[in-house]
Amino acid sequence: MNKIKEFRKIKDLSVYDLSDMTGLTPSYISNLENGNKTNPTKDAMEKIATALEQTVPEVFYPDKEGK
């Protein structure tokens, strides 16, 4: 499970704020957050991670961090 929502809330951003920052649609981001879409492109992952000031693994592969 990704940590988009967790990092987004830490930064006090709405789905719409993150959408504006990344150029991705709010529904796409919401679907990723809720696990309804599970195969984002590398470009989408990089845009989201950058906007959240995190790395792609921190946001999308948290269970694999440090292993």
Side-chain angles (χ1 to χ4, degrees):
M1 181 61 90
N2 69 60
K3 297 178 96 176
I4 298 169
K5 187 180 286 187
E6 180 180 328
F7 287 123
R8 181 174 59 74
K9 289 189 178 284
I10 289 169
K11 294 189 67 63
D12 196 29
L13 297 170
S14 70
V15 170
Y16 297 99
D17 294 331
L18 189 55
S19 171
D20 288 342
M21 295 169 76
T22 60
L24 302 169
T25 65
S27 61
Y28 182 81
I29 293 168
S30 180
N31 282 329
L32 285 174
E33 283 187 348
N34 295 312
N36 298 326
K37 180 153 185 62
T38 57
N39 194 20
T41 64
K42 181 177 183 261
D43 185 55
M45 289 191 292
E46 288 173 349
K47 286 178 180 180
I48 291 169
T50 298
L52 296 173
E53 299 178 330
Q54 302 294 322
T55 65
V56 169
E58 287 170 331
V59 177
F60 290 93
Y61 307 105
D63 296 336
K64 295 184 178 13
E65 280 287 292
K67 288 188 179 178

